Amino acid sequence: MKQDPPLPSIAPPDRPTPRRIALWYGSGATAWIVLTEGVLADIVAPIPGLVRGLVLVAVSALLLTVLLRRTCVGSRLSSIEALAQRLRSISDQASQAIYVKDSQGRYLLFNRAAEQMLDRHACEVIGQDDHALFPETEAANLIESDRKLMAERRIETIDRTLTTRSGVRTFSVTKAPLLDTANRVVGLIGVSRDITDLLTASDALRRSEARYRSMFENMLSGFITHEVIYENGRPVDFRYLFTNPSFERHTGLKDVRGKLASEVFPTLKGADSEIYHLSLRVAETGRAEKCEGYFAPLDMWFVATIFMTEDGLLAVIFDNVTERKSAEQKIEHLAYHDSLTGLPNRLLAEDRMTLAAAHAQRDRTMAALLFLDLDSFKGINDSLGHACGDDLIRAVAERLRGCVRETDTISRHGGDEFLIVLTGPRTSDAISTTAHKILAGIAQPFEIQGQPLLTTASIGIAVYPDDGTDFATLLKKADTAMYHAKEEGRNTYRFFDQRMNIGVAEQLRLRNGLHQALDNGEFELHFQPQIDLATDRVIGAEALIRWNHPDLGRVPPDRFIPVAEESGLIVPIGDWVLREACRRAAAWQSQGLAGVTVAVNLSALQFKRGNLKQTIVNALTEFGLDPACLELELTESILIKDVEEVLATVFQLKALGLKLAIDDFGTGYSSLSYLKRFKVDKLKIDKSFIRDLATDPDDAAIIRTIIQMARNLNLRTIAEGVENQEMLDLLRLFACDEIQGYLIARPMPADEFVAFVRAYSPAPTDSAGEQSAAVPILVR
């Protein structure tokens, strides 16, 4: 029978250190483990930190178990304390905290990692229980937990949060009981790892993922992740991997995940599919692209950003801008066409005149600009009403179309005025023939609202290049010639002649009078109330200038404003208006009319030449007026010329805290581009649209579009020229913000305005009554 080998011996500490531990361990079989402590470190050194620690723990546990089971053998190894001391040289190499406790919970081993983790030296801990490391309650809980673990002889792995010298930390702890050869529990061994930072990072990552997922799922833009399908190394198609809820809302498509884009849209690969070909380019080059276009399969305008997230994965972020495009197209149409007649407006007429001039220069012919004004139209309009007047304007426009060639252009200049551009006439007689034809056509009776109407026209003619080479010069001279035609009996035409000097005496008299008007105190301001439809309160007033001439009496603004513009006197007059408006508004505040805003029109010349910012600052400072109570109304013509210079001035005005509004919006150069750039606060819908709001579906559609567009751009809208309850009701329905007009009140002196505000009763029902000659202080 084979004999067991002799028991291993352990050299005492005072003996020359062979540093070799020979242990015998086995049950029913014989096994030898001979480890050299120095060699052990060399073995585990190349192993990564976490794994190395686990190896050391495992080896340490094995050694401790062997030694415990052999404690009864040999007089030189009398207790678990000696074994723990022997294991320290091994456990100190571990990156995890390793400790051994006896059955009473006293620490026998506390390695270097444990010292660093708990900021305690082993000498402070050995022989002590957990009260040496943790607060009373936590220590008691740990001791009780260890007692149960040893009693139940189980291994436990648990995350535990404890208060240490370094603060509250969380540890991942694994504990196991230690048994002697008699299978008695004589202590426990534990391994701990500080996972506080890991948990913090994990929690932060989890919160970050939740936050970004919430943002992703709730983002307004549609999002798509595609798998790129390649053939012969080239991208040819895209498979849907993921879409967010906004994708379905924008496109109406459901359950597309896993499908090819060419399956979802069979016509996708057509030559007109911009987004498909752009996506192919991004997948091939890896460079992100942004585009705006029309996607025919969904009948949708879009703005998209396309980029690669990683190899083989392509992402698309897009917005459905169909409504914006539709509104933009309507506004762009307004920019070049008259809403009442559908004819080109002045802006388009100017462009056509430029083209006609170029054609004339190339072919050595002429071009002509005809300025047509209906005779006695005001009488028709006043006696039969605006609806009848508008029907007549539309009928005149239609008749004019039959009097000129397709290469010529008819434009509505405003009111009852038309511009006609003749392209390529070779002689003055040819121009005269066309003018005769137009006059004869207009002189024929019109059938308007079931009754015949007769009217005539006066025409002024300016010829390129004899009378000028630019549109502004030709327009001015054609206008001059038209007034001569009226003076000579109307229903006729006149070519411009340098000897023409329409109203020289009157012009000179008005100009001289304007020079003295400011010094003599002949100007005054009237104010027309503006009502907030949401609250039915008077929230502001438009300031309108009046001139009381000592000899001529009250001069209408449409007579003296053009003279002031032409002479440059509009700049000092405009400065006076600004100062007087601020003075009145400040007085209102002291009279209890807090928050009432005063709106002042600015002329293009005043905006360009005047020291506008300083004038405003001086007025606000002098009267102590809150800048928020001053609103400046800018015409579209101001904003489209010298854009960068104007933009800088607008930004300076905005910085003062003023409000900015676009006056007569929709009648000239309406464009989304300047609304976006100039950061205005309000759009003032021109009264030409309001006039037939209740009877003309086109005007109603235009107004609704303008209001909706303004809301999308966070702008307020105000409708001027509101004259009856039906108009008011429709404007409320369309969600217009503010109104002004004769339904509420006519322009009135400042004292009367204060009384009006105090006595104002909302929801008026009376009609407007007789028209007034009130015109904004500085006409466009």
Side-chain angles (χ1 to χ4, degrees):
M1 184 172 180
K2 197 171 185 177
Q3 297 294 318
D4 287 338
L7 293 175
S9 62
I10 301 178
D14 56 349
R15 185 177 299 177
T17 55
R19 295 184 57 89
R20 183 159 118 165
I21 305 173
L23 301 177
W24 180 82
Y25 176 79
S27 178
T30 302
W32 280 94
I33 299 175
V34 179
L35 296 175
T36 301
E37 295 175 9
V39 174
L40 177 61
D42 295 335
I43 293 174
V44 300
I47 303 176
L50 177 60
V51 178
R52 182 168 65 245
L54 294 177
V55 170
L56 284 169
V57 171
V59 172
S60 300
L62 177 60
L63 289 172
L64 184 61
T65 303
V66 170
L67 292 174
L68 285 172
R69 292 191 174 186
R70 291 295 180 180
T71 51
C72 61
V73 180
S75 59
R76 285 168 296 181
L77 192 63
S78 60
S79 68
I80 191 172
E81 288 90 340
L83 293 177
Q85 179 64 31
R86 177 63 90 180
L87 285 176
R88 178 176 176 84
S89 62
I90 299 175
S91 65
D92 278 347
Q93 300 179 62
S95 61
Q96 281 75 36
I98 301 174
Y99 54 87
V100 176
K101 296 180 181 181
D102 64 13
S103 59
Q104 301 304 311
R106 294 183 294 265
Y107 284 93
L108 304 176
L109 172 66
F110 199 74
N111 73 341
R112 286 197 182 97
E115 291 177 333
Q116 295 170 357
M117 191 176 295
L118 296 176
D119 194 19
R120 295 294 184 98
H121 196 276
C123 64
E124 300 178 70
V125 179
I126 299 300
Q128 305 292 322
D129 62 15
D130 285 314
H131 286 90
L133 293 172
F134 308 110
E136 174 69 28
T137 302
E138 293 180 8
N141 290 337
L142 286 171
I143 293 171
E144 177 61 21
S145 173
D146 290 348
R147 186 192 64 75
K148 289 183 178 180
L149 182 145
M150 289 187 287
E152 296 171 4
R153 300 189 175 208
R154 57 182 171 81
I155 298 175
E156 176 183 76
T157 298
I158 188 172
D159 292 347
R160 188 180 294 277
T161 300
L162 298 170
T163 304
T164 71
R165 279 184 175 178
S166 301
V168 177
R169 311 292 291 177
T170 301
F171 304 93
S172 176
V173 182
T174 299
K175 296 180 181 179
L178 295 174
L179 309 178
D180 64 9
T181 55
N183 207 30
R184 291 173 301 187
V185 175
V186 295
L188 63 80
I189 183 171
V191 180
S192 294
R193 183 164 60 101
D194 190 334
I195 60 172
T196 306
D197 295 339
L198 179 63
L199 290 178
T200 301
S202 176
D203 185 58
L205 178 61
R206 184 168 53 254
R207 290 198 305 271
S208 176
E209 289 177 347
R211 181 167 61 253
Y212 282 106
R213 175 166 292 278
S214 175
M215 292 170 58
F216 178 76
E217 292 180 348
N218 291 284
M219 65 188 293
L220 297 179
S221 298
F223 183 88
I224 312 165
T225 298
H226 286 301
E227 175 193 2
V228 183
I229 306 300
Y230 294 90
E231 286 185 6
N232 300 321
R234 301 291 297 274
V236 295
D237 210 338
F238 306 94
R239 188 184 308 281
Y240 286 91
L241 296 183
F242 184 78
T243 61
N244 70 344
S246 288
F247 168 84
E248 182 177 324
R249 186 178 70 252
H250 284 312
T251 66
L253 298 174
K254 300 180 179 179
D255 302 324
V256 297
R257 295 184 187 180
K259 296 181 180 178
L260 292 175
S262 58
E263 294 179 56
V264 179
F265 304 110
T267 62
L268 180 68
K269 298 184 179 182
D272 60 340
S273 182
E274 180 182 4
I275 193 169
Y276 169 71
H277 293 286
L278 193 62
S279 297
L280 291 178
R281 188 161 74 234
V282 172
E284 196 162 14
T285 66
R287 292 193 299 270
E289 298 273 4
K290 186 173 183 178
C291 67
E292 177 175 331
Y294 177 71
F295 191 57
L298 292 175
D299 188 24
M300 180 182 79
W301 283 90
F302 66 89
V303 173
T305 300
I306 309 168
F307 57 96
M308 298 294 290
T309 58
E310 56 185 277
D311 287 345
L313 293 182
L314 180 138
V316 181
I317 300 175
F318 71 95
D319 288 297
N320 184 343
V321 295
T322 304
E323 290 186 8
R324 175 176 70 80
K325 271 291 183 181
S326 178
E328 198 172 54
Q329 288 170 353
K330 290 179 181 178
I331 296 299
E332 289 298 328
H333 180 80
L334 290 176
Y336 291 99
H337 293 82
D338 170 58
S339 60
L340 180 63
T341 63
L343 292 175
N345 62 8
R346 172 177 166 169
L347 183 63
L348 188 52
E350 181 175 357
D351 181 66
R352 298 287 175 82
M353 186 68 224
T354 301
L355 293 175
H359 181 276
Q361 185 177 24
R362 183 181 67 247
D363 296 345
R364 296 184 178 181
T365 58
M366 297 185 294
L369 182 62
L370 280 59
F371 195 119
L372 182 150
D373 183 88
L374 295 180
D375 300 325
S376 305
F377 176 76
K378 187 176 185 304
I380 295 174
N381 211 35
D382 291 347
S383 60
L384 299 180
H386 290 300
C388 183
D390 287 348
D391 286 346
L392 177 59
I393 292 296
R394 280 189 284 263
V396 168
E398 188 61 34
R399 195 165 289 183
L400 287 174
R401 288 188 179 98
C403 297
V404 299
R405 301 166 302 169
E406 290 186 0
T407 55
D408 300 327
T409 299
I410 307 166
S411 164
R412 187 183 179 209
H413 188 55
D416 60 340
E417 298 173 341
F418 295 85
L419 299 178
I420 302 165
V421 177
L422 302 183
T423 302
R426 296 189 175 276
T427 65
S428 296
D429 289 342
I431 300 172
S432 296
T433 298
T434 301
H436 275 297
K437 186 176 181 180
I438 291 172
L439 292 175
I442 298 298
Q444 296 298 314
F446 290 91
E447 186 75 19
I448 304 296
Q449 295 185 2
Q451 58 182 326
L453 286 179
L454 291 173
T455 189
T456 57
S458 298
I459 300 175
I461 304 171
V463 178
Y464 172 91
D466 296 341
D467 297 327
T469 57
D470 63 275
F471 179 78
T473 300
L474 292 169
L475 179 62
K476 181 178 179 180
K477 292 182 176 180
D479 187 18
T480 299
M482 184 272 294
Y483 275 106
H484 262 282
K486 283 189 177 294
E487 286 183 348
E488 295 184 16
R490 306 189 178 191
N491 193 26
T492 188
Y493 67 89
R494 287 291 180 269
F495 285 88
F496 176 78
D497 189 316
Q498 290 295 345
R499 294 169 295 178
M500 290 180 177
N501 194 347
I502 180 172
V504 172
E506 180 186 20
Q507 293 274 4
L508 185 59
R509 190 174 189 181
L510 289 177
R511 182 177 298 183
N512 291 337
L514 286 172
H515 275 288
Q516 303 171 10
L518 281 175
D519 293 337
N520 296 338
E522 296 170 11
F523 291 122
E524 67 172 319
L525 291 185
H526 283 199
F527 300 88
Q528 187 170 32
Q530 297 174 331
I531 306 298
D532 182 6
L533 291 181
T535 61
D536 277 326
R537 290 178 52 250
V538 178
I539 59 169
E542 181 179 10
L544 304 167
I545 194 169
R546 298 292 182 264
W547 183 16
N548 298 310
H549 193 283
D551 300 321
L552 300 177
R554 176 162 288 181
V555 182
D558 58 355
R559 283 182 61 191
F560 73 82
I561 291 296
V563 178
E565 291 271 10
E566 185 179 356
S567 64
L569 291 171
I570 198 68
V571 175
I573 292 175
D575 290 347
W576 175 86
V577 171
L578 276 169
R579 184 177 180 279
E580 180 67 6
C582 290
R583 184 177 75 86
R584 292 294 186 179
W588 295 342
Q589 311 304 311
S590 64
Q591 291 173 296
L593 274 61
V596 175
T597 300
V598 62
V600 178
N601 282 265
L602 296 179
S603 74
L605 195 62
Q606 179 188 11
F607 195 91
K608 184 175 182 180
R609 292 188 186 176
N611 188 6
L612 187 59
K613 178 185 176 183
Q614 194 57 49
T615 299
I616 293 173
V617 170
N618 291 343
L620 294 174
T621 304
E622 181 180 358
F623 301 111
L625 180 64
D626 182 353
C629 293
L630 177 61
E631 179 176 286
L632 303 181
E633 294 187 0
L634 312 177
T635 60
E636 294 169 293
S637 60
I638 292 177
L639 301 180
I640 65 168
K641 295 181 180 179
D642 301 321
V643 173
E644 296 306 321
E645 181 180 347
V646 171
L647 189 63
T649 303
V650 167
F651 284 167
Q652 290 176 354
L653 297 178
K654 287 286 289 183
L656 295 177
L658 309 177
K659 298 176 182 177
L660 297 180
I662 302 299
D663 195 19
D664 297 345
F665 183 79
T667 60
Y669 310 92
S670 308
S671 171
L672 293 179
S673 61
Y674 73 71
L675 293 182
K676 182 169 60 177
R677 293 192 68 191
F678 286 96
K679 306 295 184 184
V680 297
D681 303 293
K682 186 188 297 183
L683 301 183
K684 193 167 190 178
I685 304 172
D686 187 64
K687 57 188 174 186
S688 63
F689 297 118
I690 305 299
R691 184 183 305 132
D692 295 329
L693 171 60
T695 58
D696 190 333
D698 291 336
D699 280 354
I702 289 170
I703 292 171
R704 187 191 294 269
T705 297
I706 291 174
I707 293 173
Q708 182 59 48
M709 179 202 66
R711 281 187 171 274
N712 291 339
L713 296 174
N714 294 320
L715 305 179
R716 290 180 66 81
T717 50
I718 179 170
E720 62 177 340
V722 179
E723 299 181 355
N724 57 55
Q725 187 67 32
E726 192 171 10
M727 292 179 182
L728 175 59
D729 292 341
L730 284 172
L731 289 169
R732 285 188 188 276
L733 179 64
F734 294 166
C736 184
D737 298 302
E738 303 169 23
I739 62 165
Q740 73 180 76
Y742 293 156
L743 177 64
I744 305 302
R746 297 170 179 273
M748 61 191 73
D751 293 338
E752 292 182 22
F753 175 76
V754 173
F756 171 86
V757 175
R758 289 173 174 167
Y760 175 70
S761 176
T765 57
D766 296 335
S767 62
E770 183 181 350
Q771 297 290 324
S772 164
V775 175
I777 56 169
L778 300 175
V779 297
R780 277 59 65 194

